[in-house]
């Protein structure tokens, strides 16, 4: 019998994105940082590296370290970076994103798409703020409630992320961690489809041979997609661009 965590990685292996997102949103967020040139970047919870590779292309003078606890994702990033001719500017670190061993004041940009919920936003920002050089930025994307309307089954589904909040709640956490919001935007619905589409295709491919544990994980993916069709206007992913407050 498959273990639940193995089943989750079985479903997710081979996907290029592991969270709602798009090249357009990543580049929009990067533009809002105002950063360029020979910057040092960490992509926290990089997964298979969609943002890592795009940032390396968009910032031709940058050195980028992809940080993740799941080694196979880091291997994927190395293969993809080599194939894209970017390997000389991308490194990997198999580490916890809140204890990755970077020196204080060593990073211009800390990036984190769809992964900060694993460790908690305020905790992550408290760890990352001292790592920034003067003028450094932290960019993260996070699922939030978009307004007061919280349909019951959406609330039930998102109980898996009990800290989920709205924009004002995110800003409170940013400020509590000694940071300041520079800019933010809600990602378009198409960013969800870029994630849920390939996830649904992979779930359908795996179903015929799935054991009970894997079937439960596949059902979860189907529920996530169905919920988004019904209530995708009540929650969404948003990018936040922040800096140290002092
Ligand atoms: C939802 S995926 C997002 C991946 C990628 N940023 C993307 O947008 O495709 C979250 C990633 O965070 C990683 N992760 C979870 N907890 C972590 C931790 N404490 N430290 C580092 N990485 C972690 C997971 O292995 C996974 O690759």
């Amino acid at each position: 019998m498959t273990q639940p965590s193995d089943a989750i990685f079985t479903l997710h292996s081979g996907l290029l994105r592991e969270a709602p997102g798009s090249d357009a949103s990543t580049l929009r967020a990067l533009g809002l940082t105002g950063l360029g040139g020979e910057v040092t970047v960490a992509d926290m919870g990089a997964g298979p590296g969609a943002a890592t590779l795009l940032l390396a292309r968009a910032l031709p003078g940058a050195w980028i370290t992809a940080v993740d606890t799941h080694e196979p994702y880091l291997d994927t990033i190395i293969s993809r970076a080599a194939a894209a001719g970017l390997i000389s500017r991308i490194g990997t670190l198999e580490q916890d994103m809140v204890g990755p061993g970077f020196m204080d004041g060593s990073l211009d940009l800390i990036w984190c798409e769809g992964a900060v919920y694993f460790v908690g936003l305020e905790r992550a920002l408290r760890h990352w703020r001292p790592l920034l050089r003067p003028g450094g930025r932290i960019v993260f994307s996070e699922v939030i409630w978009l307004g007061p309307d919280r349909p019951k089954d959406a609330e039930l589904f998102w109980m898996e992320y009990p800290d989920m909040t709205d924009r004002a709640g995110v800003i409170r956490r940013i400020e509590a961690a000694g940071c300041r919001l520079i800019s933010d935007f809600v990602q378009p619905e198409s960013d969800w489809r870029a994630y849920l589409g390939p996830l649904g295709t992979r779930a359908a491919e795996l179903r015929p041979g799935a054991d009970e544990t894997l079937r439960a994980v596949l059902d979860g993916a189907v529920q996530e997609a169905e919920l988004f069709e019904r209530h995708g206007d009540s929650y969404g992913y948003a990018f936040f661009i922040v800096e140290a407050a002092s």
Side-chain angles (χ1 to χ4, degrees):
M1 171 74 74
T2 320
Q3 294 301 308
S5 56
D6 293 341
I8 289 169
F9 281 123
T10 301
L11 171 61
H12 286 264
S13 75
L15 300 178
L16 296 180
R17 279 192 180 280
E18 292 293 349
S22 63
D23 289 1
S25 290
T26 298
L27 293 176
R28 180 176 171 192
L30 177 63
L32 291 168
T33 66
L35 292 174
E38 293 184 4
V39 285
T40 305
V41 183
D43 184 7
M44 305 292 193
T52 313
L53 273 88
L54 184 60
L55 292 172
R57 284 197 194 92
L59 295 167
W63 167 259
I64 305 184
T65 305
V67 179
D68 207 286
T69 43
H70 187 56
E71 192 185 7
Y73 282 152
L74 299 176
D75 295 342
T76 300
I77 291 178
I78 293 296
S79 308
R80 293 178 70 192
L86 296 168
I87 195 69
S88 62
R89 294 190 294 108
I90 291 178
T92 60
L93 196 57
E94 189 185 341
Q95 275 284 0
D96 193 311
M97 68 175 102
V98 289
F102 293 104
M103 306 256 294
D104 281 1
S106 65
L107 296 172
D108 299 291
L109 179 59
I110 297 176
W111 201 269
C112 185
E113 284 193 36
V116 76
Y117 66 92
F118 277 98
V119 294
L121 176 59
E122 194 181 322
R123 177 167 170 241
L125 292 177
R126 282 185 193 279
H127 273 81
W128 294 344
R129 183 177 168 272
L131 306 181
L132 291 178
R133 288 192 178 131
R137 303 281 189 260
I138 300 170
V139 175
F140 62 90
S141 71
E142 170 79 324
V143 65
I144 56 169
W145 294 110
L146 294 177
D149 173 35
R150 296 180 186 179
K152 267 273 158 302
D153 43 350
E155 266 191 331
L156 206 63
F157 179 84
W158 286 110
M159 275 170 66
E160 70 178 48
Y161 181 29
D163 283 347
M164 182 167 159
T165 181
D166 55 10
R167 178 177 184 270
V170 170
I171 294 172
R172 275 195 297 277
R173 286 173 195 169
I174 290 170
E175 291 175 351
C179 296
R180 180 167 42 222
L181 180 69
I182 296 175
S183 193
D184 64 299
F185 62 91
V186 174
Q187 296 169 233
E189 248 186 58
S190 51
D191 281 17
W192 280 88
R193 300 196 191 285
Y195 165 64
L196 292 173
L199 190 68
T201 305
R202 176 132 179 92
E205 282 165 5
L206 289 168
R207 192 168 291 277
D211 67 14
E212 198 183 319
T213 308
L214 181 55
R215 260 202 316 276
V217 168
L218 303 181
D219 290 347
V222 171
Q223 275 166 21
E224 184 174 0
E226 288 175 353
L227 184 76
F228 183 72
E229 292 308 325
R230 284 200 308 280
H231 297 307
D233 51 352
S234 65
Y235 59 89
Y237 256 85
F239 265 101
F240 296 85
I241 295 90
V242 312
E243 63 183 351
S246 54

